[in-house]
Amino acid sequence: MSEYLHDEPVVPRTDDEKEKLMNRLKRIEGQVRGIQNMVEEDRYCVDILVQISAIQSALKNVGFSVTERHINHCVTDAIQKGEGDETIQELMDVLKQFSK
Amino acid sequence: MSEYLHDEPVVPRTDDEKEKLMNRLKRIEGQVRGIQNMVEEDRYCVDILVQISAIQSALKNVGFSVTERHINHCVTDAIQKGEGDETIQELMDVLKQFSK
Amino acid sequence: MSEYLHDEPVVPRTDDEKEKLMNRLKRIEGQVRGIQNMVEEDRYCVDILVQISAIQSALKNVGFSVTERHINHCVTDAIQKGEGDETIQELMDVLKQFSK
Amino acid sequence: MSEYLHDEPVVPRTDDEKEKLMNRLKRIEGQVRGIQNMVEEDRYCVDILVQISAIQSALKNVGFSVTERHINHCVTDAIQKGEGDETIQELMDVLKQFSK
């Protein structure tokens, strides 16, 4: 049993949605490997830090896209069924964690 | 010519330092691939968001380690040579970017 | 005309809700004045920074309370009326700003 | 005995430095009171959230100014005296707290 209210979104992601998310995540994966190369090449610390913050901002944007879709589908669905409370609480918990 | 004050740290990273950083970055790379799998499996949004925030905190900690080493070596070296101003300004710029 | 979708919440805040928010904001106001005293007394930088981060976290928590109430009332109301899109977009915009 | 390495900066803040910090903190105090008025007037949640994030960014900038001065004076002084380690550790601890 998942610790979350659902195992998957109430409306499945379309192939197009999946592809867009995957492209962004593949780019982030590439950026992480880029930093590994910088460490191997013993690159300057500030240069590495700038790359890390670029990844953080890319990740944050992916997070906001996932959040927006979640509210548009799962939260909206729960509210329309009159079951919004739990889903909103779950959303708030993850927003707080996401903002640390 | 790099846009930074140096191309590499004033004191080269030891193999041990490199290995520790690489292990953390490899783990982060694995976590990013883990999220890609979650997207492929169309996993629940909140579950994905929790994984994204785990990567953000791991990345932030790598950033702090790089920052600490930078201050201990490059910033300290510049200060001891009486050339601290530029290096401190560079440090502040990257701290501000890193905190966005 | 306000730049926002509404001038006030769809469900007015109760006196009790207002009082709770005001108490937290009064405390934050007192903390800001406390830092002013520290500056007057020329207190150590790190001491001041710790107080600033205490205010940031208190403010963040006030923000989350306001966000939660907003989702529970204004966003829920809009979704129930089938007008969720605009309200959700407005929510995402403010979440992004709030996370900078 | 303070829990910090010093009770005050190694180089006292000038009156001009103090005045600048105080002006910024007075403005922030005014912004906090502004939000109190918005709560009294039961203003729209998103409007309040935007004001909270304006204060957060003003506070963050004050924090960066205090940090920069700290590095330029207290940290630099400790490094020049060959006592940098403790001061750098203290700096890293507060940077981590400040970034939560």
Side-chain angles (χ1 to χ4, degrees):
Chain A
M1 229 297 291
S2 152
E3 54 187 288
Y4 308 113
L5 294 175
H6 302 277
D7 291 329
E8 62 254 329
V10 295
V11 174
R13 293 183 185 92
T14 62
D15 288 342
D16 184 49
E17 282 181 306
K18 282 189 183 182
E19 198 187 331
K20 280 189 179 125
L21 268 180
M22 288 299 281
N23 289 343
R24 293 166 78 178
L25 289 165
K26 292 276 183 200
R27 230 180 354 255
I28 288 170
E29 185 189 340
Q31 286 176 289
V32 174
R33 272 206 297 277
I35 295 181
Q36 289 167 12
N37 296 339
M38 293 174 86
V39 170
E40 298 261 347
E41 294 158 14
D42 206 26
R43 292 270 290 277
Y44 187 48
C45 328
V46 173
D47 202 348
I48 291 177
L49 285 171
V50 167
Q51 294 309 316
I52 290 176
S53 60
I55 296 176
Q56 283 180 314
S57 104
L59 262 175
K60 197 188 240 187
N61 290 330
V62 168
F64 278 125
S65 300
V66 172
T67 302
E68 186 160 2
R69 198 207 187 262
H70 177 59
I71 298 173
N72 273 315
H73 290 288
C74 308
V75 177
T76 290
D77 179 74
I79 288 171
Q80 286 168 338
K81 287 177 180 157
E83 301 159 1
D85 291 354
E86 258 190 324
T87 306
I88 292 170
Q89 187 55 59
E90 185 184 56
L91 172 63
M92 288 310 302
D93 291 344
V94 82
L95 286 178
K96 287 173 187 171
Q97 183 167 353
F98 197 61
S99 85
K100 278 186 187 149
Chain B
M1 230 298 291
S2 152
E3 55 186 290
Y4 307 112
L5 293 174
H6 301 278
D7 290 327
E8 62 256 329
V10 295
V11 174
R13 292 182 185 92
T14 63
D15 289 342
D16 184 50
E17 282 180 306
K18 283 190 181 180
E19 197 187 331
K20 281 188 178 127
L21 270 179
M22 289 299 280
N23 290 342
R24 293 166 77 178
L25 290 165
K26 292 276 182 196
R27 232 181 353 254
I28 289 169
E29 184 189 340
Q31 287 175 289
V32 174
R33 272 206 297 275
I35 294 180
Q36 289 167 13
N37 296 338
M38 293 174 86
V39 170
E40 299 259 350
E41 294 157 15
D42 205 26
R43 291 271 290 277
Y44 186 48
C45 328
V46 173
D47 201 349
I48 291 176
L49 285 171
V50 167
Q51 294 309 315
I52 289 177
S53 61
I55 295 176
Q56 283 180 314
S57 108
L59 262 175
K60 196 189 246 189
N61 290 330
V62 169
F64 279 126
S65 300
V66 173
T67 302
E68 186 161 1
R69 196 204 187 266
H70 177 58
I71 297 173
N72 273 315
H73 292 287
C74 309
V75 177
T76 289
D77 178 74
I79 288 171
Q80 286 168 338
K81 288 176 181 160
E83 302 159 0
D85 291 354
E86 259 190 322
T87 306
I88 292 170
Q89 188 54 60
E90 185 183 57
L91 172 63
M92 288 310 302
D93 292 343
V94 82
L95 287 177
K96 287 172 187 173
Q97 184 166 353
F98 197 60
S99 84
K100 277 187 187 147
Chain C
M1 229 299 289
S2 152
E3 56 188 287
Y4 308 112
L5 293 175
H6 301 277
D7 290 329
E8 61 256 328
V10 294
V11 174
R13 292 183 185 91
T14 63
D15 288 343
D16 182 51
E17 282 181 305
K18 282 190 182 181
E19 197 188 331
K20 280 189 179 123
L21 268 180
M22 288 299 280
N23 290 343
R24 293 165 78 177
L25 290 165
K26 292 276 183 197
R27 230 182 353 256
I28 288 170
E29 184 189 341
Q31 286 176 289
V32 174
R33 272 207 298 275
I35 294 181
Q36 290 167 13
N37 296 339
M38 292 174 87
V39 170
E40 300 257 346
E41 293 157 16
D42 205 26
R43 290 271 290 277
Y44 186 47
C45 329
V46 173
D47 202 348
I48 291 177
L49 286 171
V50 167
Q51 295 309 314
I52 289 176
S53 60
I55 296 176
Q56 283 180 313
S57 102
L59 262 175
K60 196 188 241 188
N61 290 331
V62 168
F64 278 127
S65 301
V66 172
T67 302
E68 187 160 2
R69 196 206 188 262
H70 176 60
I71 298 173
N72 273 315
H73 291 288
C74 310
V75 177
T76 290
D77 179 74
I79 287 171
Q80 286 168 338
K81 288 177 179 158
E83 300 159 2
D85 291 355
E86 260 190 324
T87 307
I88 291 170
Q89 188 52 60
E90 185 184 57
L91 171 64
M92 287 312 302
D93 292 344
V94 82
L95 286 178
K96 286 173 188 172
Q97 185 167 352
F98 197 60
S99 84
K100 276 185 190 151
Chain D
M1 227 302 287
S2 152
E3 56 187 289
Y4 307 113
L5 293 175
H6 301 277
D7 290 329
E8 62 253 330
V10 295
V11 174
R13 293 184 184 94
T14 64
D15 288 344
D16 183 49
E17 282 181 306
K18 283 190 182 179
E19 198 188 331
K20 280 188 179 125
L21 269 180
M22 288 299 281
N23 290 342
R24 293 166 78 177
L25 291 165
K26 292 276 184 199
R27 231 185 348 259
I28 289 170
E29 184 189 342
Q31 287 175 289
V32 174
R33 271 207 296 276
I35 295 181
Q36 289 167 11
N37 296 338
M38 293 174 87
V39 170
E40 300 260 352
E41 295 157 15
D42 205 26
R43 290 270 290 277
Y44 186 49
C45 329
V46 173
D47 202 348
I48 291 177
L49 284 172
V50 167
Q51 294 309 314
I52 289 176
S53 60
I55 296 176
Q56 282 180 315
S57 103
L59 262 176
K60 197 189 243 187
N61 290 330
V62 169
F64 278 127
S65 301
V66 172
T67 302
E68 187 160 2
R69 195 202 189 265
H70 177 59
I71 297 173
N72 273 314
H73 291 288
C74 309
V75 177
T76 290
D77 179 72
I79 287 171
Q80 285 168 339
K81 287 177 180 157
E83 302 159 1
D85 291 355
E86 260 190 322
T87 306
I88 292 170
Q89 188 53 59
E90 185 184 58
L91 172 64
M92 288 312 301
D93 291 343
V94 83
L95 286 178
K96 287 173 187 171
Q97 185 168 351
F98 197 58
S99 83
K100 277 188 190 150

